[in-house]
């Protein structure tokens, strides 16, 4: 729905607590949905992975969500949608599928899917827990208006108390 408020959680690093913060917000703001910009991409990867590996019982997302598999090599394949992509990790598979869909449907394909999903939920607050790219903000601003968006930047602090990441954006 268009009168939603949007919270974008960003960080430069990984394992900073974006999803944890989103869950805390949802716990305190009952009328809240948590979405990820990466969800439509992961669903596309699931679809392509199933067509390439019909014999596996797991989806791409199930493999990818387990940290120990992220750098595992998928055996060399000749894929219809991508010409001879060769041996690659699950992370590389995600990137290749993203590049393929963006080349075919436009660079904003996945953000459009995410925004469409946000408009389908009836909650007055939507938290995106994986904000990364400037055009994502621009697209959301065009849909919701600048006054309806709050961006939160999380930064890791090492044990000595100094910042480990710097964010310029």
């Amino acid at each position: 729905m268009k009168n939603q408020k949007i919270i974008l959680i960003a960080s430069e690093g990984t394992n900073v607590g974006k999803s944890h913060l989103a869950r805390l917000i949802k716990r305190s703001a009952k009328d809240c949905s948590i979405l990820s910009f990466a969800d439509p991409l992961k669903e596309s990867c699931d679809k392509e992975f199933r067509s390439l590996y019909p014999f596996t019982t797991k989806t791409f997302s199930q493999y990818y969500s387990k940290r120990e598999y992220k750098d595992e090599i998928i055996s060399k394949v000749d894929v219809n949608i991508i010409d001879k992509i060769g041996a690659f990790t699950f992370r590389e598979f995600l990137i290749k599928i993203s590049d393929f869909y963006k080349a075919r449907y436009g660079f904003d394909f996945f953000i459009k899917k995410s925004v469409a999903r946000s408009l389908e939920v009836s909650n007055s607050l939507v938290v995106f827990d994986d904000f990364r790219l400037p055009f994502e903000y621009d697209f959301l601003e065009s849909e919701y208006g600048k006054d309806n968006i709050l961006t939160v930047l999380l930064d890791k602090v090492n044990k000595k108390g100094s910042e480990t990441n710097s964010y310029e954006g």
Side-chain angles (χ1 to χ4, degrees), residues 25-87:
I25 292 169
K26 182 173 179 153
R27 192 179 309 152
S28 65
K30 302 295 183 203
D31 189 25
C32 176
S33 288
I34 300 171
L35 299 176
S36 297
F37 291 124
D39 287 344
L41 172 57
K42 288 177 183 175
E43 290 163 8
S44 298
C45 286
D46 283 343
K47 175 184 165 193
E48 302 303 338
F49 191 77
R50 256 185 253 110
S51 70
L52 292 171
Y53 300 98
F55 51 85
T56 185
T57 58
K58 293 184 180 178
T59 65
F60 171 82
S61 295
Q62 289 171 318
Y63 280 110
Y64 190 72
S65 66
K66 295 193 176 293
R67 249 180 237 303
E68 64 266 22
Y69 293 125
K70 284 191 181 179
D71 294 322
E72 187 174 302
I73 299 294
I74 299 173
S75 61
K76 189 171 185 175
V77 293
D78 186 4
V79 190
N80 288 336
I81 63 162
I82 303 171
D83 293 327
K84 304 221 181 209
I85 49 181

Side-chain angles (χ1 to χ4, degrees), residues 155-165:
D155 208 350
K156 258 186 191 176
V157 176
N158 66 25
K159 291 179 181 176
K160 295 177 183 173
S162 62
E163 294 179 0
T164 56
N165 298 321

Side-chain angles (χ1 to χ4, degrees), residues 108-127:
D108 55 359
F109 175 76
F110 294 110
I111 184 67
K112 285 180 177 177
K113 289 259 190 203
S114 296
V115 168
R117 201 170 274 174
S118 73
L119 293 171
E120 291 171 2
V121 299
S122 60
N123 302 89
S124 61
L125 178 64
V126 176
V127 178

Side-chain angles (χ1 to χ4, degrees), residues 143-160:
E143 290 293 316
Y144 290 99
K146 190 174 191 170
D147 293 339
N148 292 319
I149 301 172
L150 171 68
T151 304
V152 178
L153 174 62
L154 298 181
D155 208 350
K156 258 186 191 176
V157 176
N158 66 25
K159 291 179 181 176
K160 295 177 183 173

Side-chain angles (χ1 to χ4, degrees), residues 130-144:
D130 63 345
F131 171 57
R132 286 186 178 84
L133 304 171
F135 77 86
E136 293 170 340
Y137 180 88
D138 295 340
F139 194 86
L140 284 170
E141 184 181 23
S142 73
E143 290 293 316
Y144 290 99

